[in-house]
Amino acid sequence: MKPVVMSTTKGLVIRIRNFEMRDIERIMEIEGEAFREGDPNVYIELYNEWPEGFIVAEKDGTIIGFEVVILTPEGEGRVFAIAVDHRFRGKGVGRALLKTAFNLLRKHKIGFVRLEVRVSNWVAQQLYRSMGFVEVGFVPFYYKDGEGAILMRKVL
Ligand SMILES: CC(C)(COP(=O)(O)OP(=O)(O)OC[C@H]1O[C@@H](n2cnc3c(N)ncnc32)[C@H](O)[C@@H]1OP(=O)(O)O)[C@@H](O)C(=O)NCCC(=O)NCCS
């Protein structure tokens, strides 16, 4: 994608562009804070598979959030990861990243997008519901720590 400067729904001006390899350290900082799982190789592999699906949001030249969208073997989009630096949460960055991904998937004629979210992650669930995702299933013990995942899906 061509980099785009946009104002979020909360009036924060951000620049959205594709990930570049030199961003990996900063991505892992945000990832580590958000998920505490971080294996950079997983992200690099996903980037190599579909570079367009790895999207970052910058504020004044610093990355403040990212999202990785992948294509499933069934031909659907899947939000593999989305995270925003805690200092910039609640300012519409997550919503802007998701909207960008929806447009990207539509451009590729993909009809559905899905994701998994922790049962306890009420904030993310709220965001997804408000963007048209609906609950379609539940997987017990989905995460390494034993927590279950809610499966959500959206028609694009
Ligand atoms: C989930 C996450 C990516 C959302 O990003 P964000 O930039 O803070 O989200 P936005 O500002 O775009 O918020 C959009 C919606 O999310 C919900 N939301 C955001 N912050 C919230 C909060 N503190 N409390 C309740 N709801 C909240 C609201 O519904 C909000 O809608 P609004 O714009 O009408 O207020 C971010 O909180 C994050 O990085 N969390 C840690 C990682 C994570 O959980 N990722 C998702 C894994 S599935």
Side-chain angles (χ1 to χ4, degrees), residues 9-10 30 33-35 66 80-86 88-97 115-118 121-128 130 143:
T9 49
K10 300 286 170 69
I30 298 174
E33 177 195 276
F35 306 120
F66 74 92
F80 175 82
I82 176 168
V84 173
D85 179 325
H86 73 277
F88 290 91
R89 288 183 193 161
K91 295 181 191 303
V93 178
R95 199 180 283 283
L97 284 167
L115 53 80
E116 298 82 29
V117 57
R118 282 181 182 266
N121 196 348
W122 186 80
V123 167
Q125 288 166 36
Q126 281 291 105
L127 169 59
Y128 301 145
S130 77
Y143 297 97

Side-chain angles (χ1 to χ4, degrees), residues 58-151:
E58 283 180 332
K59 174 77 191 153
D60 302 326
T62 301
I63 294 176
I64 58 166
F66 74 92
E67 174 186 34
V68 178
V69 180
I70 60 177
L71 299 175
T72 69
E74 301 81 33
E76 293 191 4
R78 176 177 164 219
V79 180
F80 175 82
I82 176 168
V84 173
D85 179 325
H86 73 277
R87 292 166 293 188
F88 290 91
R89 288 183 193 161
K91 295 181 191 303
V93 178
R95 199 180 283 283
L97 284 167
L98 283 168
K99 267 190 203 149
T100 305
F102 299 163
N103 289 336
L104 170 71
L105 292 167
R106 286 185 189 117
K107 197 181 94 186
H108 286 275
K109 312 264 182 267
I110 305 285
F112 295 93
V113 58
R114 66 179 177 85
L115 53 80
E116 298 82 29
V117 57
R118 282 181 182 266
V119 173
S120 63
N121 196 348
W122 186 80
V123 167
Q125 288 166 36
Q126 281 291 105
L127 169 59
Y128 301 145
R129 281 198 194 97
S130 77
M131 299 208 67
F133 281 90
V134 293
E135 217 173 299
V136 292
F138 171 73
V139 186
F141 308 108
Y142 181 81
Y143 297 97
K144 274 185 216 149
D145 62 4
E147 187 170 349
I150 295 175
L151 307 184

